[in-house]
Amino acid sequence: MCGIIGYIGSESAVPVIVAGLRKLEYRGYDSAGIAVYEQDGIKVIKRKGRLAELERHLSEMTIKCSSGIGHTRWATHGEPSDVNSHPHMGSSNKVAVVHNGIIENYKQLKERLEKKGVDFASQTDSEVIAQLCEYYYNGDVLETLIKVSERLEGSYALGIMFHDKPDMFAAVKKDNPLIIGVSEHGNFIASDVPAVLNHTNKVYYLNDKEIAVLYKERVEFFNFDRERLDKSVETVTWSMDSAEKGGYPHFMLKEIMEQPKVLRETIASVKAVDNLDISCYNKIVITACGSAYNAGVAAKYVFESLCRFPSIEVELASEFRYKDAVIDEKTLVILISQSGETADTIAAMREAKSKNAVTLAVVNVVGSAIAKEADYCIYTAAGPEIAVATTKAFSAQLVVLYTIAVAFGTKLGKLSDVESKLLTEEIVALPEKVAAILDDLEYELQKYASTCIGCKSIFFIGRNIDYAIALEGSLKLKEISYIHSEAYAGGELKHGTISLIEDNTLVVAISNSERLYGKIMSNAEQVISRGAKVLLIGSCAGQGGDNAQDSDKLSSIALPECNPLFSPSLSVIALQLFSYYVAANKGLDIDKPRNLAKSVTVE
Ligand code: G6P
């Protein structure tokens, strides 16, 4: 987590860096800080709290400078405080560092440096990098960075300024993302592309153990053998607009509304992996974190139904990486990740590869670690997603996974050409249905959500694939509204959780399968008779609550007809709008929920 940025060029550096930090705030918002050159050396200004705190402080100062580095923090080692904020300086003020990542051996390094008389100011792991840089710095930037990197264990993307080199700064990375943006007026480092999009769409992707040295007019790249690298610049297709709110009160609402377009573009751009012969495999493992994992749970039902594959498992990446999985070269491991940088998903990918499994990644960010390292990669065309709670990237992941399932099912002979064509048509029809939900049901969901802001607990239930989307609905709600929430398979509620149902506890029941409608309605009745109220969402919800014991307690939101296998794409839109409006009614900071970060680059 954490976002880093750096700029050197002909524009005034402070506003450029602060604007970049604003675009990176989704990566962490416990504190923010910058380091710039002034005539008497490097100056660090940093503040606990949101970027706005730092901006308020900066507005009272006049700083003239044309280069600097900046950081927005998601605290790991050391509480959020001014002193634990980045940039960190060496104790002789010769080096300033911004860091994204975790230094695992920082305690040993710190002890060693303290024995040599170095004074530490903070409780962070990151300060050790600044102190180590200063300890080794002899005027030779490359030599220093190589020595420092060789001693660091863990992950890092670093921006580093040296007190006697006002015309340059340097960057190096291992296991955390870093891009180099080149524009007409100057050059950048950044954790992610949106931070530089206002200035340029030309970027270099820095690889692990590569060093970039940035000057106003040029950027030089080196490996750890001090050899100069000839890297090629890439053109980013993401537009600047996609990283702006465009009149919406929150990025989350804007991103919810973008989904018909994102689905259309993703469906049009997905190329089934033709050169991947699914008949060579006897096991599929889907692994991911957070919402991407929930997309994987939904996909398992789709793969099972359409491919009739003998063994399909879905695993949390944080568990899979440590479980000594029974996989081999006949296993296809599907990794799902918006950012392509989630530490646990990267580790799961490496674990799979070490056991000779073949990896297929579904990723949104071009050039990210997972996109680069997986054997096969399919991109979702969601564009930059800024709100911490994912919406459009999740929806794009679903349609990619459906498309893969249809392709595999066809290849395996489990689907006839006619069935495959029909299923493809159903996928192609999804964006219109999503648009209809956004147009027709937003107000209704908003109204219902306004009655829920006092809820202490909300449960989500569903059966089969509706259970998968209940997981996502519940996660969405709790992460942005701070209301306790759990998701259960409808049949499980009575095995314990039903004891939590009190008068007016809300249970959101998802129902898109005619076959299971009666079953989920029985579950709804069981909770209604214990005082709960139920919100029924799904294509079956239009059937009304004729079986419900107490219709005052039952509300329905009917969604368009759809093949149940693809219904997660519709249910999730209603659930996103519901969560959004619950949080909006509570006046919460929806795009940046407390304690969270979008890109989780630590374990
Ligand atoms: C974080 C985000 C979630 C996301 C998860 C996995 O927790 O807040 O929205 O689903 O990470 O991220 P990834 O980038 O791998 O999809």
Side-chain angles (χ1 to χ4, degrees), residues 1 7 73 96 105 121 165 171 262 360 371 431 434 454 506:
M1 359 270 250
Y7 171 72
R73 179 170 187 241
N105 60 339
K165 301 244 178 328
V262 161
L360 164 63
V434 168
L506 176 62

Side-chain angles (χ1 to χ4, degrees), residues 55 105 244 369 401 544 567 592 603:
E55 284 183 271
N105 60 339
E244 302 290 342
L401 292 162
S567 66
K592 301 187 195 84
E603 261 196 68

Side-chain angles (χ1 to χ4, degrees), residues 289-292 336-342 345 388-390 397 476 479 596-600:
C289 300
S291 294
I336 311 168
S337 177
Q338 186 283 128
S339 62
E341 299 291 349
T342 301
T345 315
V388 166
T390 180
Q397 286 161 356
K476 211 80 309 171
E479 68 182 328
L596 297 180
K598 187 155 190 70
S599 191
V600 184

Side-chain angles (χ1 to χ4, degrees), residues 399-472:
V399 294
V400 167
L401 292 162
Y402 305 153
T403 308
I404 299 173
V406 172
F408 284 178
T410 312
K411 175 87 187 178
L412 292 167
K414 306 292 178 191
L415 297 172
S416 67
D417 287 348
V418 175
E419 286 168 322
S420 162
K421 188 166 167 279
L422 276 176
L423 288 162
T424 305
E425 281 167 11
E426 285 179 308
I427 296 171
V428 170
L430 287 171
E432 287 322 305
K433 294 182 183 181
V434 168
I437 296 172
L438 292 171
D439 287 348
D440 303 342
L441 298 177
E442 183 188 6
Y443 180 64
E444 217 173 311
L445 284 156
Q446 182 177 8
K447 223 168 59 183
Y448 194 89
S450 69
T451 66
C452 302
I453 53 175
C455 288
K456 283 206 288 290
S457 235
I458 298 182
F459 295 91
F460 288 73
I461 58 170
R463 284 171 179 259
N464 283 188
I465 202 160
D466 289 334
Y467 164 58
I469 215 63
L471 289 171
E472 177 60 7

